[in-house]
Amino acid sequence: MIDVQTLTFFAFSGLLLLSAGGVVFSRHAVSSVMFLILCFLCSTVLWLMLHAEFLGLALLFVYVGAVMTLFLFVVMMLNVKIDATKARLLKYFPFVLVLGGGLVTMLWLALGPDAFSIKKTGVLAFSEHYNNTRAIGEVMYTQFVIPLELTAGILLVAMVAAIALTFRGSQQRRVQDTPKQLMASKANNLRIVSMASEHEGGE
Amino acid sequence: MIGLAHYLVLSSMLFVISFIGIVINRRHLIVMLMCVEMMLLAVNMHFVAVSQYFHDISGQIFVFFILAVAAAESAIGLAILVLLYRCRQTIDVESIDQLKG
Amino acid sequence: MGIHEITLLTIFAPLLGAIVTGLACRVWSNQAAHSMTIGGVAVGLMSALYLAHWTLIAHPGFSDNWTLYTWASYGSSHFDVGFLLDGLSAIMLVVVTFVSLLVHIYSIGYMEEDPGYPRFFAYMSLFTFAMLCLVLGNNFLVLFFGWEGVGLVSYLLIGFWFKKDSAAEGSLKAFLVNRVGDFGFLIGIALLLSYVGSLDYAEVFTKAPALANLTISVIPGVVWSLPTLICLMLFIGAMGKSAQVPLHVWLPESMEGPTPISALIHAATMVTAGVYMVARMSPLFELSDVALTTVMLIGSTGALMMGLVGIVQHDIKRVIAYSTMSQLGYMMAANGVSAYALGIFHLTTHAFFKALLFLAAGSVIMGMHHDQDLRHMGNLKKYMPWTYAVFLIGTLALVALPPFAGYFSKDAIIEAVFLSTLPGAKYAYVCLVLGAFVTSFYSFRALFLAFHGKERMSTHQRDSLHESPWVVRVPLLLLALPSVIIGAVLVEPMVYSHAGFLSHGEITVLPNHDVMTTLHHHFDGVWHLVEIAPQGPAFWATLLGLGFAWIAYIKAPALPNQLAASCKVCYQVLVQKFGFDWFYQEVIVKFADSTSQVLYKRLDMGLIDGGIVNGSGRMVAYVAGLMRRLQTGYLYHYALIMLLGLVAMVTWFMLRHYHIG
Amino acid sequence: MGTFLIANKVLLPEMLVFLMSLLTLMAGVFLPTRMRESSALVFAQTALWGAIALAFWGMLAGTVTLFSGTVVVDHLAFTLKVLSYVTASGVCFYAHAYLKAMKMPVLEFYVLTLLSVLGLSALLSANHFITLFVGLELMSMPLYAMIALRRHRSDCLEAALKYFVIGAMATGILLYGIALLYGATHTLGFPDVANAIPVAMHGHHLLMSFALVFITIGIAFKLGIVPCHMWLPDVYEGAPTIMTMMVATLAKIAALGMLLRLLVSVMPALFAEWQPLLMVLVVLSLFVGNVTAVKQANLKRLLAYSSIAQLSYLLLGVFTGTTAGYSAAMFYLATYVLTTLAAFALIMCFRREDGEEAVDIADYAGLFQHHPWHAVMFAIVMFSLAGMPPFVGFIAKLQIFQALLQTGPFWLVIYALLLTVVAAYYYIAVVKVMFFDESQTPLRKVSLGLGNGLLTLNALGVVMLGVQPSGLLTWLSL
């Protein structure tokens, strides 16, 4: 008999794999992005089923909220026309499929029910007072303070790098240069041009 | 009942799909980057599941860091991508073959 | 000055000359350049003579093993820069510095108009330094340093006329073939280092007997005894350096370099480094019959085969080059039957007469305006009497007619191989006796073609033919003298004396390999040796070769006319004589000629040179091209390779896990 | 409190580097324009040399484990850290004039370099997979970005993109390997994992083998060996030379650090698995690297293939599974880094007539006639890479082979040495072109500023360490 949990798991994991396929195979980059967002949504559900609330929501916020928006933004900005002829799959697609199938099978052998059956791992059980966020927070700033600091460094790198790479320099900005304004003088701003006087004989 | 094996196999499938995605994709570079994100999602799935089933929180901490790092990574990746597009007016995977041999 | 200081002086005087000349080569005159380097080498020779006198005559059995400084040490192993002066190295010292000095002097005349004159002298002195390091080192590290050093300078000097394409290619080939040798040599050294834990000769030789029972798995399933493997690896190095079959292909190519270089490096000194090394490593080689047999077989095969190839060469330098390879084969064969002293003795005599031959050939080449083709020469004795005289002396020494130098060494080698009990010794003996015939044939062929017979040069060449200047002739004469007497002088102390130069532990021979003791019993004074010459087959083989060469290249040109005029019935004797001539001309010469041609074209040029050396080169290049094409530049291909690798490895582990395959 | 003081002391180098990178960033904002670039160099050098001094000071405390075992400072971390600081300092010196000439943003370069070194340093000190991962990313991301800093050059951007995509993939694979290992051991601290592996061998042997494969592939990317070598020639060729230098040195230090940490310290129980795995990788990479290099016309590409080969010799040392082998690999890495620095610095010295960098081997024809000293330095570098005495490359190879001969298999020695013959061919071919070929159009030499003197020192170092390697050998032995 299938309980709700099982049903939910299979529904969402099926959807997850389908949308993963969608990311790979869809014709347009925009739909790929959408499929990826769907992937993340399904994962969030699955993680919530695991009682990993904090990460599930973080995934939603960080990925769907920020990263995928960035992707979408870039896709829209570049707006690349895909040549229809190139949309075909590669010649060696069947070969890759065999490779992938083999890999999944072998991983199944190592990870499947033989290795991690319920008998061996037990059911997912937490005490009533389990608080996922607290559990994470308890070690995040104690044991893992060094990686946390380093992650700050990574974010700094991302910021510096992204700015250094894409910032096109000041020549495109229109800024007020106060010293320059104050230094303005008649001599270098005003040009007196001598011209022949207007013809007066028109009257 | 849903056991750990379900999650692990699911994550392995997701991993292989994203790997295949990188290998067979010859259109949009950006899809490659998305496949990398998906690969990391598979890894995260694995970590979260093992962490929860064995009550070891460090797996989830790892996921947290992976999320943060992956976000930063995609920022840099997209920056390079945009630059390349400006330079060549294309981000076809097949056109990125100036360096070879 | 103590012995240490004089040893250092011997080594570093040439280096000093090389460095100063090399640094100042742009601003100095030619005069200053050659004075500096010749001065350096002359100092080297003087001190080498002193050392030789000290070691060999004043204090027989003197051996001085000392460390200059420790290069590197870590853990239990230490690398030293140290020197070993004993009878063996003293003999080599004198040979190297003497030939080097004469070649330096000779080069004043030979390189006169070359724009790279100072550079040339700097390289030659540098070479001398490296060679001295090789000879004097007391451990494998210094040996290897000298070994690579001489290789490097040889490479620079072959490519000296680098504007000639063939020279640049010749130098690259020389370098590569030597690398193949060096790689074997390095494995040998590395094996010693890891099993003995030291690179010091003394230590290695003391501990070597303990290795005798160790074995090593070369490839899964094939187990070799350790000493055999070490010796074979070291011998591969010797094969590369001493141009043994099949690693000889670089030596003919190296003749593209200036002739003094051919004399110094590719005849007298560097190419004998392998022979010296094998003799030096005698305590190791004695441990392995397999290695000794290999050395003997390869040496004797080369002695015959390279001689045969020499018959069909038209370039005068190449004839001598092939003769060098053949003679190196003799030396190696001597080492192979544990007659190391004979190997070194032949090395010594050979150094003098081969340098003489090369320099004389250089003199001819100068006279002929750098035309080296024997077919364009003829009757040069009229124009270049001095050169003719010394070339003749060199040839007589080379073909080993008594009492010239080569006789004493070569005949004894043939004798020693005859006495050997190693498997295959009979084959080696036959090869060497036939080799004596072949040597004689091609040597006199070259002599007759160049100096006798009809004049075949162009009128332009004939008009300007002249004897070489004194600066060229003096070294020739100074080399001609030892080429005559050195054998007779040295044969007793080096080979037949129980208290001789090399009988104080310089070389080690196990009793069951000892052929020299038997040879000692036959010895009864130098002149007795000359008297008994006709008792050996080699003497007659030599004379036969001389006779055939004479018939074919002096007598034969008139042959057709005489045949036409002769009466078949009346002049039976005459006919028979001509019949013999005909038989000789049509069967023997043609047969020998075609065999040599086949050897040269098919085996030497075709299989070994083209097939193995160039072939492997081509294969590498082909595969490289293929690999390059794999590098398509497409990201998805790169990812695919990763996926492939991943899946392959995962599959492998899965199969391993389930014990499949 | 005591722990905190020790923590302070041994982590001071990293703190200094982080602080100085921030200061450099601030310098870009607050200092007048003309002082910015030189002050950035001063900051960077202060950070690196200060970090070296502090690292030596901190090492007096011996091996220290910190933050509930997420960070460790031991001899391995210490030596490789010092090596990476020295390397980065050299890179900064070489970079200064080059950056201006190539119109690359100078300040960002120094900031990113310092942050990258910080990441590397954290990676080397990692005692926990999380620290390892974060350090690895902090090290790699600046490299991706810096390659793209010549942002108008499409080849640089292509190189950056390829490096980035393959790098991100490799990170994914590495992480998946870690995840698999986590699945088997339920723990992420190195000592815990090392303890848990023998226990988990019973139920999860296959799983751990797979984890090993994934992790090895992840490291193989950093090492640039088969099957993750394809990106390497493209990146070496396309990247600005200063970045090629960095990828060729800093990333390799990280790779060896990871290799020794993960395979040797964390997975010694899986030795029977990873040894054959490394053997296959070595055999393939030696072949691919050495053979493909033969046909290269581009010097940077040639050095790329040569690096594939060089790194597989290093891997041979790890393959042996003995302390002697690991020490040999450490020494090999140090010498490789030293020689590589000189090689790329030499390339940075020359421009073609049109102002482009001279990267084709043919450009260097007859270099000896016009710039003899540089040609000699090139020869020193090439001979050292080819493993000839008396240069340091010889000692390094000797160490490796000596260690390998102790454990065997013998055919691997023969195979590796045979390929050194092939290697000698292409290295010598370069020297031949420089010394013996006719020069077409003479190259223009540009000054490296402070780097000029350093280059000479660097090339002489290749000789000096070959003649006197004892000190470094002792210091680097594990």
Side-chain angles (χ1 to χ4, degrees):
Chain A
M1 121 126 218
I2 298 173
D3 59 3
V4 182
Q5 278 234 329
T6 318
L7 200 65
T8 324
F9 176 83
F10 280 109
F12 278 94
S13 54
L15 191 56
L16 173 62
L17 292 180
L18 279 180
S19 49
V23 173
V24 177
F25 294 109
S26 62
R27 279 180 159 278
H28 299 288
V30 179
S31 38
S32 283
V33 178
M34 292 305 172
F35 275 124
L36 190 54
I37 292 175
L38 191 55
C39 270
F40 286 125
L41 290 175
C42 296
S43 302
T44 305
V45 173
L46 293 174
W47 292 9
L48 289 176
M49 283 175 65
L50 282 168
H51 298 281
E53 296 93 358
F54 177 78
L55 287 173
L57 292 175
L59 188 72
L60 209 59
F61 296 145
V62 174
Y63 262 84
V64 181
V67 179
M68 291 328 294
T69 317
L70 188 63
F71 268 91
L72 201 57
F73 176 70
V74 172
V75 170
M76 301 276 200
M77 186 175 84
L78 302 185
N79 192 23
V80 187
K81 302 269 185 299
I82 294 297
D83 188 355
T85 55
K86 285 192 178 164
R88 276 182 295 115
L89 293 167
L90 285 176
K91 269 181 292 185
Y92 49 77
F93 178 63
F95 174 62
V96 173
L97 219 54
V98 170
L99 281 186
L103 193 55
V104 168
T105 321
M106 286 184 283
L107 285 171
W108 186 302
L109 283 176
L111 293 170
D114 285 350
F116 290 101
S117 62
I118 294 175
K119 251 183 260 164
K120 284 186 184 169
T121 55
V123 287
L124 192 56
F126 289 100
S127 72
E128 253 173 63
H129 305 292
Y130 176 73
N131 183 331
N132 183 244
T133 314
R134 174 190 286 277
I136 290 177
E138 268 166 3
V139 286
M140 177 79 84
Y141 297 100
T142 52
Q143 193 184 353
F144 297 105
V145 65
I146 293 286
L148 193 76
E149 291 298 323
L150 293 172
T151 312
I154 292 181
L155 295 176
L156 180 66
V157 166
M159 202 166 74
V160 172
I163 293 173
L165 291 181
T166 48
F167 178 55
R168 294 202 197 192
S170 57
Q171 71 277 8
Q172 288 170 339
R173 283 181 305 169
R174 295 177 185 282
V175 287
Q176 224 175 3
D177 191 348
T178 324
K180 206 174 162 193
Q181 283 176 331
L182 291 175
M183 295 291 282
S185 67
K186 194 173 86 178
N188 46 20
N189 280 13
L190 185 66
R191 191 160 54 111
I192 298 174
V193 187
S194 63
M195 295 170 69
S197 56
E198 294 235 357
H199 188 60
E200 289 172 10
E203 293 176 45
Chain B
M1 282 300 281
I2 300 301
L4 178 55
H6 290 85
Y7 283 96
L8 300 191
V9 171
L10 174 68
S11 105
S12 76
M13 285 174 171
L14 192 57
F15 183 83
V16 173
I17 290 179
S18 41
F19 208 142
I20 290 180
I22 296 172
V23 174
I24 65 164
N25 164 47
R26 56 173 196 170
R27 292 163 295 157
H28 225 316
L29 259 175
I30 220 162
V31 176
M32 264 192 185
L33 298 187
M34 285 192 261
C35 287
V36 170
E37 298 296 334
M38 225 155 60
M39 207 179 231
L40 295 179
L41 181 68
V43 171
N44 289 341
M45 181 87 71
H46 197 119
F47 271 120
V48 171
V50 173
S51 160
Q52 290 298 68
Y53 270 90
F54 292 108
H55 300 282
D56 178 74
I57 198 70
S58 60
Q60 290 184 58
I61 303 285
F62 209 147
V63 172
F64 176 81
F65 283 116
I66 294 175
L67 286 181
V69 167
E73 205 174 53
S74 52
I76 291 184
L78 288 172
I80 298 173
L81 192 79
V82 169
L83 280 180
L84 193 73
Y85 181 75
R86 271 191 210 155
C87 215
R88 294 205 187 159
Q89 300 305 318
T90 174
I91 47 167
D92 248 21
V93 184
E94 285 197 324
S95 63
I96 314 295
D97 63 343
Q98 199 178 328
L99 300 167
K100 64 181 167 194
Chain C
M1 287 212 295
I3 285 296
H4 289 183
E5 285 76 19
I6 296 176
T7 313
L8 289 182
L9 188 67
T10 321
I11 298 176
F12 289 106
L15 178 66
L16 186 73
I19 290 178
V20 172
T21 314
L23 289 180
C25 71
R26 292 196 172 197
V27 286
W28 268 13
S29 67
N30 290 355
Q31 181 101 31
H34 70 233
S35 312
M36 185 69 208
T37 50
I38 288 175
V41 177
V43 169
L45 175 63
M46 289 304 144
S47 37
L49 284 172
Y50 177 82
L51 291 176
H53 178 265
W54 177 275
T55 315
L56 300 173
I57 295 160
H59 303 79
F62 177 84
S63 167
D64 186 20
N65 186 357
W66 55 287
T67 298
L68 183 59
Y69 78 103
T70 299
W71 189 31
S73 74
Y74 51 93
S76 58
S77 43
H78 55 99
F79 296 150
D80 299 326
V81 173
F83 301 107
L84 169 61
L85 178 69
D86 62 1
L88 188 55
S89 44
I91 293 170
M92 292 296 289
L93 274 187
V94 176
V95 171
V96 170
T97 47
F98 182 73
V99 177
S100 171
L101 180 65
L102 293 186
V103 172
H104 270 80
I105 297 172
Y106 176 91
S107 302
I108 299 175
Y110 193 85
M111 299 300 288
E112 205 173 2
E113 286 149 19
D114 199 281
Y117 189 91
R119 196 157 54 94
F120 184 81
F121 277 88
Y123 283 158
M124 279 210 299
S125 283
L126 187 63
F127 169 81
T128 311
F129 161 73
M131 190 68 203
L132 290 174
C133 280
L134 191 161
V135 167
L136 271 173
N138 76 346
N139 60 59
F140 283 90
L141 195 74
V142 180
L143 174 72
F144 191 68
F145 171 74
W147 192 266
E148 291 288 305
V150 290
L152 182 69
V153 185
S154 151
Y155 163 65
L156 289 173
L157 281 171
I158 298 170
F160 188 74
W161 285 327
F162 51 73
K163 286 178 181 116
K164 258 163 82 179
D165 258 1
S166 54
E169 273 182 17
S171 67
L172 206 57
K173 189 187 250 177
F175 196 85
L176 283 179
V177 175
N178 268 305
R179 283 301 292 180
V180 175
D182 291 350
F183 116 82
F185 193 47
L186 254 183
I187 295 182
I189 294 180
L191 277 170
L192 278 174
L193 186 60
S194 61
Y195 283 94
V196 179
S198 168
L199 289 178
D200 212 55
Y201 290 160
E203 226 173 313
V204 168
F205 296 159
T206 323
K207 291 182 183 168
L211 300 178
N213 297 323
L214 290 178
T215 54
I216 189 167
S217 153
V218 182
I219 44 172
V222 181
V223 177
W224 277 6
S225 108
L226 190 63
T228 301
L229 186 66
I230 292 176
C231 290
L232 285 180
M233 288 301 155
L234 292 177
F235 182 58
I236 288 179
M239 280 161 72
K241 197 111 290 183
S242 287
Q244 299 291 309
V245 184
L247 294 184
H248 65 277
V249 288
W250 62 272
L251 192 56
E253 302 286 326
S254 71
M255 293 300 134
E256 297 294 344
T259 307
I261 296 313
S262 310
L264 176 61
I265 300 183
H266 306 118
T269 55
M270 183 186 83
V271 291
T272 60
V275 179
Y276 166 78
M277 192 265 283
V278 174
R280 181 54 93 193
M281 301 305 143
S282 56
L284 293 176
F285 277 84
E286 283 300 305
L287 295 176
S288 166
D289 277 5
V290 178
L292 282 177
T293 312
T294 312
V295 172
M296 178 190 72
L297 291 179
I298 290 202
S300 51
T301 307
L304 176 62
M305 201 176 113
M306 292 302 104
L308 282 174
V309 174
I311 294 179
V312 293
Q313 299 300 320
H314 296 298
D315 182 326
I316 186 167
K317 277 178 73 181
R318 286 196 178 227
V319 175
I320 307 177
Y322 276 103
S323 101
T324 304
M325 288 183 256
S326 169
Q327 297 307 309
L328 289 167
Y330 278 94
M331 298 174 206
M332 272 307 177
N335 282 340
V337 297
S338 301
Y340 303 102
L342 272 176
I344 295 297
F345 182 41
H346 193 50
L347 186 161
T348 311
T349 55
H350 174 261
F352 294 110
F353 65 72
K354 191 47 66 69
L356 173 65
L357 277 173
F358 259 117
L359 294 185
S363 169
V364 170
I365 292 167
M366 278 162 78
M368 294 289 294
H369 292 278
H370 292 271
D371 185 349
Q372 308 186 359
D373 199 323
L374 281 170
R375 286 167 299 188
H376 300 160
M377 299 175 187
N379 204 22
L380 286 178
K381 67 175 190 287
K382 190 173 122 196
Y383 304 98
M384 311 176 85
W386 288 93
T387 307
Y388 172 61
V390 294
F391 200 93
L392 183 64
I393 291 174
T395 305
L396 288 173
L398 171 64
V399 302
L401 278 177
F404 290 92
Y407 164 71
F408 294 97
S409 48
K410 202 158 124 188
D411 207 53
I413 290 178
I414 296 174
E415 199 67 13
V417 172
F418 179 70
L419 292 171
S420 170
T421 54
L422 290 177
K426 290 288 162 285
Y427 162 78
Y429 177 68
V430 173
C431 278
L432 293 187
V433 173
L434 288 179
F437 165 75
V438 173
T439 306
S440 163
F441 184 73
Y442 66 69
S443 305
F444 283 107
R445 170 180 172 267
L447 182 79
F448 293 151
L449 279 177
F451 291 97
H452 293 264
K454 242 177 36 195
E455 294 175 13
R456 294 181 297 273
M457 65 284 282
S458 65
T459 38
H460 168 68
Q461 277 172 331
R462 191 195 342 253
D463 292 344
S464 54
L465 262 180
H466 58 85
E467 183 56 274
S468 300
W470 274 107
V471 71
V472 167
R473 262 182 276 166
V474 166
L476 289 178
L477 293 175
L478 284 176
L479 280 168
L481 184 69
S483 298
V484 180
I485 61 163
I486 196 87
V489 172
L490 285 183
V491 66
E492 184 165 2
M494 272 185 77
V495 179
Y496 291 115
S497 165
H498 288 290
F501 295 165
L502 297 175
S503 45
H504 302 281
E506 286 86 355
I507 50 184
T508 307
V509 181
L510 294 186
N512 57 333
H513 293 146
D514 197 358
V515 292
M516 294 304 291
T517 319
T518 326
L519 275 184
H520 285 178
H521 296 318
H522 299 314
F523 181 70
D524 190 15
V526 174
W527 289 112
H528 178 247
L529 275 182
V530 177
E531 282 164 22
I532 61 164
Q535 291 174 16
F539 179 75
W540 296 107
T542 305
L543 284 188
L544 206 61
L546 167 61
F548 281 3
W550 181 75
I551 293 167
Y553 295 101
I554 306 275
K555 194 80 179 162
L559 202 63
N561 295 337
Q562 283 178 338
L563 259 177
S566 66
C567 167
K568 279 177 198 164
V569 184
C570 305
Y571 299 101
Q572 191 63 30
V573 179
L574 203 61
V575 170
Q576 273 197 335
K577 185 190 167 200
F578 287 145
F580 181 74
D581 276 357
W582 174 87
F583 175 76
Y584 172 71
Q585 187 74 13
E586 289 299 312
V587 180
I588 302 267
V589 172
K590 285 262 170 75
F591 177 73
D593 207 58
S594 54
T595 329
S596 319
Q597 288 286 3
V598 165
L599 268 178
Y600 180 59
K601 291 246 168 71
R602 293 280 151 73
L603 202 65
D604 206 37
M605 296 284 284
L607 184 70
I608 296 172
D609 205 24
I612 298 174
V613 175
N614 292 338
S616 52
R618 258 200 302 275
M619 198 186 73
V620 167
Y622 175 73
V623 177
L626 264 181
M627 308 279 269
R628 264 191 76 178
R629 236 172 305 146
L630 265 182
Q631 202 80 26
T632 51
Y634 297 129
L635 265 173
Y636 45 79
H637 282 160
Y638 297 1
L640 179 65
I641 297 286
M642 281 170 80
L643 179 63
L644 259 177
L646 189 70
V647 172
M649 288 185 221
V650 167
T651 314
W652 180 35
F653 274 112
M654 196 199 63
L655 294 180
R656 252 176 74 137
H657 183 74
Y658 291 108
H659 304 290
I660 307 168
Chain D
M1 191 65 193
T3 323
F4 184 73
L5 282 179
I6 293 172
N8 264 336
K9 189 172 161 187
V10 298
L11 289 182
L12 274 177
E14 283 81 358
M15 289 183 191
L16 181 69
V17 172
F18 204 175
L19 191 73
M20 292 310 270
S21 72
L22 297 179
L23 270 180
T24 318
L25 198 59
M26 289 301 110
V29 181
F30 294 111
L31 284 182
T33 321
R34 63 191 157 77
M35 284 171 64
R36 275 179 201 167
E37 295 180 351
S38 36
S39 63
L41 179 65
V42 171
F43 282 153
Q45 295 296 351
T46 316
L48 294 167
W49 287 100
I52 292 170
L54 290 172
F56 273 97
W57 186 51
M59 204 49 210
L60 297 178
T63 300
V64 181
T65 315
L66 296 163
F67 294 103
S68 322
T70 50
V71 175
V72 68
V73 183
D74 56 4
H75 187 66
L76 172 71
F78 162 67
T79 45
L80 286 183
K81 261 188 220 178
V82 171
L83 180 61
S84 59
Y85 295 146
V86 173
T87 311
S89 159
V91 170
C92 288
F93 274 124
Y94 287 136
H96 204 65
Y98 182 85
L99 293 174
K100 278 184 209 160
M102 292 292 150
K103 299 196 176 57
M104 285 162 73
V106 178
L107 240 97
E108 284 85 344
F109 177 87
Y110 288 120
V111 174
L112 291 176
T113 305
L114 285 181
L115 286 171
S116 181
V117 170
L118 173 67
L120 175 54
S121 179
L123 162 75
L124 295 172
S125 270
N127 199 31
H128 194 283
F129 275 113
I130 293 182
T131 324
L132 179 97
F133 165 69
V134 176
L136 178 68
E137 285 300 299
L138 181 52
M139 191 212 78
S140 319
M141 288 215 289
L143 294 184
Y144 304 143
M146 280 192 283
I147 292 178
L149 275 183
R150 280 187 86 187
R151 50 190 191 178
H152 304 296
R153 291 289 304 244
S154 77
D155 50 350
C156 290
L157 294 174
E158 183 177 328
L161 194 84
K162 281 181 171 165
Y163 190 34
F164 174 80
V165 171
I166 302 286
M169 251 178 80
T171 309
I173 295 173
L174 176 71
L175 282 176
Y176 196 68
I178 296 173
L180 291 178
L181 196 61
Y182 182 56
T185 59
H186 333 309
T187 176
L188 283 170
F190 288 168
D192 302 337
V193 176
N195 291 333
I197 286 177
V199 182
M201 286 280 246
H202 304 297
H204 297 296
H205 189 246
L206 187 61
L207 178 59
M208 283 191 303
S209 309
F210 288 2
L212 178 69
V213 170
F214 280 80
I215 290 174
T216 312
I217 294 263
I219 302 174
F221 161 76
K222 281 280 167 235
L223 277 173
I225 54 169
V226 176
C228 308
H229 64 287
M230 305 284 276
W231 59 277
L232 194 117
D234 291 1
V235 171
Y236 272 45
E237 183 190 343
T241 310
I242 189 74
M243 286 316 301
T244 313
M245 187 193 266
M246 228 150 146
V247 173
T249 53
L250 290 184
K252 310 298 183 202
I253 298 178
L256 182 67
M258 272 159 71
L259 207 59
L260 289 179
R261 272 276 182 248
L262 294 185
L263 296 193
V264 178
S265 319
V266 180
M267 299 195 253
L270 293 175
F271 179 68
E273 276 75 30
W274 61 254
Q275 201 192 25
L277 190 63
L278 289 193
M279 189 176 77
V280 174
L281 294 186
V282 167
V283 167
L284 291 175
S285 323
L286 274 177
F287 184 79
V288 169
N290 280 322
V291 170
T292 320
V294 169
K295 275 248 171 161
Q296 297 304 322
N298 182 307
L299 190 54
K300 279 162 86 179
R301 260 193 120 71
L302 181 129
L303 284 170
Y305 285 107
S306 111
S307 98
I308 297 176
Q310 297 284 349
L311 269 293
S312 31
Y313 287 112
L314 180 147
L315 210 56
L316 269 181
V318 182
F319 160 83
T320 58
T322 58
T323 316
Y326 305 146
S327 307
M330 293 277 279
F331 186 73
Y332 201 97
L333 177 76
T335 62
Y336 171 74
V337 164
L338 184 75
T339 325
T340 308
L341 281 180
F344 287 109
L346 280 166
I347 295 177
M348 278 159 48
C349 284
F350 293 100
R351 302 274 189 284
R352 285 183 205 151
E353 281 204 324
D354 57 2
E356 287 291 308
E357 283 184 87
V359 288
D360 283 345
I361 297 173
D363 291 337
Y364 289 91
L367 185 71
F368 183 66
Q369 285 147 38
H370 303 287
H371 306 288
W373 174 233
H374 281 76
V376 167
M377 287 198 283
F378 254 120
I380 289 176
V381 166
M382 292 295 159
F383 282 137
S384 178
L385 285 173
M388 291 192 202
F391 306 107
V392 71
F394 166 72
I395 303 282
K397 282 214 170 65
L398 188 71
Q399 292 288 308
I400 296 278
F401 283 117
Q402 203 187 337
L404 186 61
L405 274 169
Q406 295 283 354
T407 59
F410 188 69
W411 63 265
L412 193 57
V413 182
I414 302 259
Y415 175 77
L417 272 172
L418 258 181
L419 282 165
T420 61
V421 177
V422 178
Y425 172 78
Y426 58 78
Y427 289 125
I428 303 306
V430 173
V431 177
K432 181 200 153 237
V433 167
M434 286 174 186
F435 281 77
F436 295 138
D437 282 9
E438 278 309 309
S439 89
Q440 310 297 338
T441 46
L443 289 172
R444 195 155 56 79
K445 192 168 96 60
V446 292
S447 168
L448 289 180
L450 290 167
N452 284 333
L454 185 64
L455 179 55
T456 303
L457 277 180
N458 197 335
L460 289 179
V462 173
V463 184
M464 288 310 296
L465 275 177
V467 176
Q468 200 49 263
S470 333
L472 189 64
L473 269 171
T474 319
W475 188 62
L476 284 178
S477 53
L478 291 171

